[in-house]
Amino acid sequence: MMSVIAAEDLIQQKEGFLVSDMAGEKVMLSIENGKYYNLGKVGGRIWELMSQPVTINSLVGQLVTEYEIEYEVCEGQVHAFLDNLVAEGLIQVSKQ
């Protein structure tokens, strides 16, 4: 499946979520739709890195330095995670 986000696109958190740390994992409540989301530990770190506009390449580069994972594996997992966030309307994507 092809990702909806290109590597050079800028991604950023959307506003309107209450975010909390629970036992090392990020959980969020959407004020708009009342849904809860558990981003997990690594997903929570990705969320933090998206506080400002960032590219997937930058995100993956940062995660590879923080976790023991190969670049290509990380890139595939980040794309899948971000595609889910786009589908839920949690992030905004803009072309550079």
Side-chain angles (χ1 to χ4, degrees), residues 9 11 25 29-30 38 60 67 72 77:
D9 289 348
I11 49 177
E25 297 187 354
L29 170 65
S30 170
N38 182 344
V60 172
Y67 300 95
E72 292 76 20
Q77 292 176 356

Side-chain angles (χ1 to χ4, degrees), residues 1-19:
M1 186 175 112
M2 191 72 173
S3 177
V4 297
I5 306 169
E8 65 278 359
D9 289 348
L10 290 174
I11 49 177
Q12 184 175 9
Q13 305 169 355
K14 279 192 177 176
E15 295 182 7
F17 301 97
L18 299 175
V19 182

Side-chain angles (χ1 to χ4, degrees), residues 2-94:
M2 191 72 173
S3 177
V4 297
I5 306 169
E8 65 278 359
D9 289 348
L10 290 174
I11 49 177
Q12 184 175 9
Q13 305 169 355
K14 279 192 177 176
E15 295 182 7
F17 301 97
L18 299 175
V19 182
S20 181
D21 285 315
M22 294 185 76
E25 297 187 354
K26 283 258 191 280
V27 293
M28 299 176 7
L29 170 65
S30 170
I31 297 168
E32 184 178 310
N33 67 20
K35 282 181 152 180
Y36 276 99
Y37 301 92
N38 182 344
L39 300 180
K41 183 177 180 185
V42 177
R45 181 64 182 131
I46 293 170
W47 184 259
E48 290 170 356
L49 293 170
M50 292 186 303
S51 64
Q52 299 294 320
V54 64
T55 64
I56 290 180
N57 290 339
S58 294
L59 267 180
V60 172
Q62 182 64 39
L63 294 171
V64 167
T65 65
E66 294 179 19
Y67 300 95
E68 288 187 30
I69 187 168
E70 291 180 23
Y71 189 93
E72 292 76 20
V73 173
C74 184
E75 184 178 37
Q77 292 176 356
V78 167
H79 268 285
F81 179 72
L82 294 176
D83 287 344
N84 287 330
L85 296 185
V86 167
E88 290 291 327
L90 303 179
I91 60 174
Q92 56 192 27
V93 179
S94 55

